[in-house]
């Protein structure tokens, strides 16, 4: 059976090497690219073409488009179909100013009919599924997602991905499961995929059960735990919770990820890009200052091996006789925002939003 666990788009991160790294660990259904500007794609801008770079092992794959010009969205969808892409996703929930300014992103949700028109044009132009990704609405007073979902269903949308927060919330506060449920209840037959803060198999189960959604999409949780898809699949099927992988396994997958980065982007560029990826793995290593301090200078693979060897030596001081982290150095268990007790602080802080140009997603 195809997995109903999906990889959410994370601009700057969900590139081909990351998607392949996660796919190799199993359990993942559809993965989505970073968002791609429809016009740039039609103009064959190198940056847009790089964002849709894929290979046969990277299937099924959705490309996420943003834009507000119906003809451009339609033609970009047709182009993606001809390029063998499995489905086209429309970004309706991106609160970055650059995207809202041109009428895409969250601004779309306030212009229901215009948005439905864009979707209709795309659906008529292709036979692959056209899906939409949205937030719950602009703010708590304007929870427009249920209305938008219904309008999109009438326009022929194939599935809806909904991040259970408003645009105003940014990434703060808890994911609103009742808000996702309202979207599920607003549509008649279109599958709704829940999203937001799923960092554990238990959180995936709770989101499925409490919202009635057809699947769960995971973004940042896949960085902490690229095994989350296979672990959650097992947990959902059998109730048995596979343990989080240990340090050696994490390091192995991190090395594989770097190899794929170098294979796709070249040694220098791939290593530079890895400067912001390494620290995500390190968040589950236990004490990692020594690693994080040095990884930001990474420029080639042999340097990576040195950094890693130095870190493994440094980390020994935190281990017990059996080679496990001493209890007070173990990273706290991950708990999804919607599974925390009222008023409880997030252990180790909230799931961070990575720094960089996409800080305000
Ligand atoms: C760095 C970063 C980049 C993101 N890029 C996109 C994007 O390109 N398109 C999109 O629809 N959502 C994007 N998002 C939102 C995620 O897809 C997802 O909805 C959100 O992070 C909540 O899910 P999570 O808690 O599982 O990460 C981004 C989020 C982050 C943190």
């Amino acid at each position: 059976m195809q997995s109903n666990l999906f990889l959410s788009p994370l601009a700057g991160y969900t590139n081909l090497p990351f998607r392949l790294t996660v796919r190799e660990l199993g359990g993942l259904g559809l993965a989505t690219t970073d968002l791609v500007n429809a016009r740039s794609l039609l103009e064959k801008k190198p940056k847009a073409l790089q964002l849709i770079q894929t290979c046969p092992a990277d299937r099924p794959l959705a490309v996420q488009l943003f834009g507000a010009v119906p003809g451009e969205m339609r033609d970009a969808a047709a182009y993606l179909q001809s390029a063998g892409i499995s489905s086209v996703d429309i970004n309706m929930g991106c609160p970055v100013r650059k995207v809202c300014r041109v009428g895409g992103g969250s601004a779309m949700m306030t212009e229901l009919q215009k948005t439905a028109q864009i979707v209709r044009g795309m659906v008529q132009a292709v036979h692959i599924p056209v899906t939409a990704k949205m937030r719950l609405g602009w703010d708590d007073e304007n929870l427009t997602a249920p209305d938008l979902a219904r309008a999109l269903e009438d326009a022929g949308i194939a599935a809806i991905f909904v991040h259970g927060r408003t645009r105003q919330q940014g990434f703060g506060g808890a994911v609103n499961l009742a808000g996702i449920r309202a979207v599920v209840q607003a549509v008649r037959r279109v599958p709704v995929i829940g999203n937001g803060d799923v960092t554990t198999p238990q959180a995936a189960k709770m989101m499925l059960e409490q919202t009635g959604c057809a699947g769960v999409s995971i973004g940042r949780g896949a960085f902490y735990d690229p095994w989350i898809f296979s672990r959650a699949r097992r947990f959902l099927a059998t109730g048995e919770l596979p343990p989080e992988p240990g340090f050696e396994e994490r390091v192995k997958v991190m090395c594989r990820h770097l190899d794929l980065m170098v294979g796709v982007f070249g040694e220098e560029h791939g290593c530079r890009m890895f400067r912001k990826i390494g620290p995500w793995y390190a968040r589950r290593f236990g004490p990692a200052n020594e690693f994080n301090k040095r990884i930001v200078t990474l420029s080639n693979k042999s340097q990576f091996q040195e950094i890693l060897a130095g870190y493994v030596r440094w980390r020994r001081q935190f281990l017990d006789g059996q080679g496990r982290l001493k209890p007070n150095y173990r990273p706290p268990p991950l708990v999804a925002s919607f599974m925390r007790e009222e008023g409880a602080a997030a252990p180790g802080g909230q799931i961070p939003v990575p720094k960089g140009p996409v800080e305000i997603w």
Side-chain angles (χ1 to χ4, degrees):
M1 195 183 95
Q2 267 240 336
S3 173
N4 62 347
L5 303 174
F6 304 84
L7 179 65
S8 284
L10 299 175
Y13 294 92
T14 36
N15 47 33
L16 178 59
F18 182 57
R19 297 193 303 266
L20 290 176
T21 303
V22 174
R23 287 186 194 280
E24 286 175 6
L25 301 174
L28 171 61
L30 183 78
T32 307
T33 62
D34 299 13
L35 89 172
V36 182
N37 182 316
R39 184 176 304 165
S40 304
L41 188 62
L42 292 172
E43 289 171 354
K44 308 276 192 304
K45 293 253 169 73
K47 225 179 124 188
L49 293 179
Q50 184 168 78
L51 288 174
I52 66 163
Q53 190 178 354
T54 182
C55 67
D58 183 31
R59 289 291 183 279
L61 178 69
V63 169
Q64 188 185 62
L65 290 177
F66 82 91
V69 179
E72 288 175 1
M73 292 294 275
R74 181 199 59 214
D75 293 350
Y79 170 72
L80 290 171
Q81 172 174 281
S82 71
I85 298 300
S86 320
S87 63
V88 179
D89 187 46
I90 309 172
N91 180 300
M92 298 190 185
C94 158
V96 172
R97 205 172 289 118
K98 185 174 77 180
V99 178
C100 293
R101 221 175 31 220
V102 296
S106 301
M108 265 193 180
M109 304 192 54
T110 60
E111 291 195 49
L112 233 75
Q113 287 319 314
K114 200 175 136 209
T115 304
Q117 200 60 40
I118 292 180
V119 171
R120 226 170 262 125
M122 294 170 76
V123 168
Q124 280 164 9
V126 296
H127 55 74
I128 55 176
V130 177
T131 64
K133 166 126 186 302
M134 62 183 72
R135 283 188 177 234
L136 292 179
W138 199 266
D139 55 31
D140 279 346
E141 279 68 54
N142 296 284
L143 294 177
T144 42
D147 288 343
L148 177 60
R150 207 173 304 117
L152 296 183
E153 177 167 50
D154 292 341
I157 208 85
I160 288 165
F161 294 81
V162 58
H163 177 190
R165 288 192 174 90
T166 61
R167 179 197 186 278
Q168 194 186 47
Q169 252 183 300
F171 282 88
V175 163
N176 176 354
L177 294 186
I180 297 177
R181 187 172 178 78
V183 180
V184 172
Q185 288 172 341
V187 294
R188 289 181 300 272
R189 40 170 206 283
V190 163
V192 173
I193 314 299
N195 165 242
D197 287 0
V198 172
T199 48
T200 59
Q202 299 95 312
K205 185 165 191 275
M206 183 165 171
M207 186 176 275
L208 285 162
E209 284 176 357
Q210 298 210 353
T211 69
C213 62
V216 166
S217 185
I218 302 173
R220 292 165 298 167
F223 262 103
Y224 292 120
D225 179 6
W227 297 263
I228 191 163
F229 301 99
S230 59
R231 294 177 66 231
R233 281 275 278 175
R234 172 101 75 89
F235 184 61
L236 291 169
T238 65
E240 176 201 332
L241 183 64
E244 270 197 63
F247 179 68
E248 281 73 23
E249 183 64 12
R250 281 183 194 280
V251 167
K252 202 170 104 195
V253 170
M254 179 174 70
C255 293
R256 172 70 179 147
H257 192 166
L258 176 64
D259 280 346
L260 286 163
M261 293 288 289
V262 167
V264 170
F265 298 113
E267 180 157 6
E268 200 196 330
H269 189 46
C271 285
R272 279 180 169 276
M273 290 172 79
F274 209 74
R275 292 175 182 182
K276 65 173 184 178
I277 294 170
W280 282 81
Y281 283 94
R283 292 188 78 88
R284 305 301 288 163
F285 285 172
N289 308 359
E290 185 62 21
F291 179 83
N292 290 336
K293 204 169 69 196
R294 299 197 56 204
I295 198 79
V296 292
T297 64
L298 185 66
S299 41
N300 59 60
K301 274 178 68 174
S302 67
Q303 187 193 358
F304 180 77
Q305 290 309 329
E306 279 166 35
I307 293 174
L308 189 57
Y311 173 62
V312 169
R313 275 194 302 276
W314 177 83
R315 188 175 174 272
R316 281 192 197 129
Q317 63 188 299
F318 306 104
L319 304 181
D320 64 16
Q322 277 90 50
R324 288 177 318 200
L325 277 173
K326 292 177 189 158
N328 48 333
Y329 294 112
R330 290 183 196 152
L334 292 163
V335 184
S337 60
F338 53 86
M339 293 184 82
R340 262 171 235 143
E341 284 179 26
E342 197 99 20
Q350 287 206 339
I351 308 185
V353 182
K355 293 197 178 59
V358 287
E359 242 167 341
I360 48 170
W361 281 102

